[in-house]
Amino acid sequence: MAVTMFVRSLLMLILLTVENAGSAVSPVVTFNPDLNKIFTGQSLQMTCDVDSTVQGDVNYNWFKDDNWIHSEKTFSIESALSSDSGNYQCQTSASDRSDSTRLEVYDALFSLPTITQSPQLVTEGDRLTLTCHTRLSAHRQNTVLQFAFYQEGQNIQEFSSANTYEIPFAKLSDSRNYTCDVQTSNHRIKKTSTTTTIQVNRIGERELFNKSETEVTSKPGTSHVTTAVAVTSLVLVLFLIVIALIFLYWTKRIPLPGNNQPASKVEFKEPKDETENIYMDLDTNTGKWQIFSQKPHKEAVKDLMAAPPMEISAPLNVIKQ
């Protein structure tokens, strides 16, 4: 009886030892950081943990979706991609594969940053503000981000919570290329913006720039409409000028009512010798003008034309030669 009890106890001890030994060598996949949901660009380290009782050299193998991917105790993802999502397992030379552990990698913790400037047109002496814009994922709205600014690749503002960089008085030398970096507070994800070129204009160039910008940003078809209006206006102006010139021309030729026109001059033609002439002469005895008819007398006609006008105060007598 005693022998039977001893044998049973020994068998139970052997079974327990075998079970404990099997469970001790079963590996477990752990994540660092302890997250199974990360974003693209983040880093992650997986470890194949085995029981400390395992002695000697141990070989490790990693599997993703049942495909072999790695052969060390740890497997690292430096900058996660969406394609890194999957089921991970590890196995040692003294154990079976571990349980499957799922990793999810989302498209972005935050969007690629961009730089905007204010004002859009910068002149010497203006206050220039650069802003680094990004958008957090809806899954991590509470994530703390830090921002840094660079001019021609040289750091001009260290990482901080401020996403703006200000130049109180812009100078021509501030016309440079600018970028900004955005990173998480744990420095695990960092993204760099595209390059933005800032142009600082001299004082007095603002009006010229505005004019050029207006012409460049005109809506399609606006230039054609403007040209048509300009041509129509020019034709109308020319037509009005022609009408005005015609009006002025005719007002010079045709006297208008009420205008004082100069008296027309009486032209005397020198008579020919063979024609009979009628002329006037003053009788010194009577003081009256008399009309004479005779052959031409040039000298008398010339004297008559040169004499000043006189009022005829007596009736005229016609005396035939």
Side-chain angles (χ1 to χ4, degrees):
M1 184 69 178
V3 174
T4 303
M5 290 296 294
F6 175 76
V7 172
R8 287 182 178 179
S9 298
L10 182 61
L11 289 175
M12 290 294 295
L13 180 61
I14 293 173
L15 290 174
L16 289 173
T17 302
V18 171
E19 289 179 0
N20 291 334
S23 62
V25 297
S26 297
V28 176
V29 174
T30 59
F31 291 159
N32 183 25
D34 189 15
L35 298 171
N36 65 340
K37 295 181 180 180
I38 62 175
F39 294 90
T40 55
Q42 285 186 289
S43 59
L44 178 71
Q45 187 179 69
M46 302 180 192
T47 303
C48 188
D49 289 329
V50 293
D51 192 274
S52 59
T53 59
V54 177
Q55 302 294 327
D57 294 334
V58 179
N59 295 323
Y60 296 88
N61 289 286
W62 285 89
F63 301 87
K64 175 180 179 289
D65 298 329
D66 292 328
N67 297 312
W68 179 90
I69 57 173
H70 194 58
S71 60
E72 294 181 0
K73 184 176 181 177
T74 60
F75 173 64
S76 299
I77 299 176
E78 297 298 332
S79 181
L81 302 174
S82 298
S83 58
D84 290 322
S85 297
N87 298 311
Y88 289 83
Q89 294 173 291
C90 70
Q91 184 179 14
T92 69
S93 55
S95 70
D96 292 331
R97 293 187 188 181
S98 67
D99 292 336
S100 177
T101 302
R102 180 72 183 176
L103 174 67
E104 294 288 351
V105 180
Y106 296 100
D107 289 337
L109 179 57
F110 54 88
S111 61
L112 189 70
T114 58
I115 289 182
T116 59
Q117 68 179 77
S118 178
Q120 290 298 315
L121 177 60
V122 185
T123 305
E124 289 179 291
D126 287 348
R127 174 183 291 273
L128 173 61
T129 302
L130 304 181
T131 304
C132 190
H133 294 277
T134 189
R135 180 173 50 83
L136 275 169
S137 169
H139 300 284
R140 296 282 183 85
Q141 288 294 317
N142 296 326
T143 302
V144 177
L145 299 178
Q146 295 179 336
F147 305 84
F149 289 84
Y150 302 85
Q151 182 191 77
E152 300 293 349
Q154 301 296 319
N155 182 258
I156 53 177
Q157 181 168 293
E158 298 290 342
F159 278 104
S160 68
S161 59
N163 70 330
T164 59
Y165 173 73
E166 290 192 352
I167 301 176
F169 301 97
K171 303 183 294 294
L172 293 179
S173 58
D174 293 320
S175 298
R176 299 292 183 87
N177 295 321
Y178 294 83
T179 57
C180 69
D181 282 349
V182 181
Q183 69 177 14
T184 56
S185 56
N186 58 10
H187 303 175
R188 292 185 179 276
I189 302 179
K190 182 173 73 173
K191 295 183 181 182
T192 302
S193 70
T194 55
T195 300
T196 297
T197 302
I198 302 298
Q199 179 63 47
V200 179
N201 299 283
R202 294 182 183 276
I203 297 175
E205 293 180 352
R206 185 188 300 271
E207 292 76 10
L208 179 61
F209 183 87
N210 286 335
K211 181 179 179 181
S212 301
E213 186 179 36
T214 302
E215 293 174 354
V216 170
T217 57
S218 296
K219 294 182 179 179
T222 302
S223 59
H224 300 288
V225 175
T226 304
T227 302
V229 172
V231 171
T232 304
S233 301
L234 180 60
V235 172
L236 180 60
V237 170
L238 291 176
F239 176 77
L240 294 176
I241 291 175
V242 171
I243 294 299
L245 291 175
I246 294 174
F247 176 78
L248 292 175
Y249 174 77
W250 285 107
T251 54
K252 293 292 185 179
R253 294 289 303 272
I254 303 174
L256 296 177
N259 288 350
N260 295 324
Q261 300 294 329
S264 300
K265 294 183 180 180
V266 179
E267 296 183 357
F268 292 90
K269 293 184 179 181
E270 185 172 308
K272 294 183 180 180
D273 293 340
E274 66 272 15
T275 59
E276 183 178 10
N277 295 316
I278 298 175
Y279 65 95
M280 299 174 62
D281 197 1
L282 180 64
D283 188 347
T284 57
N285 296 323
T286 63
K288 296 181 179 180
W289 287 92
Q290 293 183 342
I291 298 176
F292 297 90
S293 176
Q294 63 178 17
K295 292 294 183 178
H297 190 278
K298 295 181 179 180
E299 297 299 330
V301 173
K302 289 181 180 180
D303 293 340
L304 178 62
M305 294 178 63
M310 298 181 63
E311 182 180 355
I312 300 176
S313 60
L316 299 178
N317 299 318
V318 178
I319 302 175
K320 293 185 179 180
Q321 186 176 0

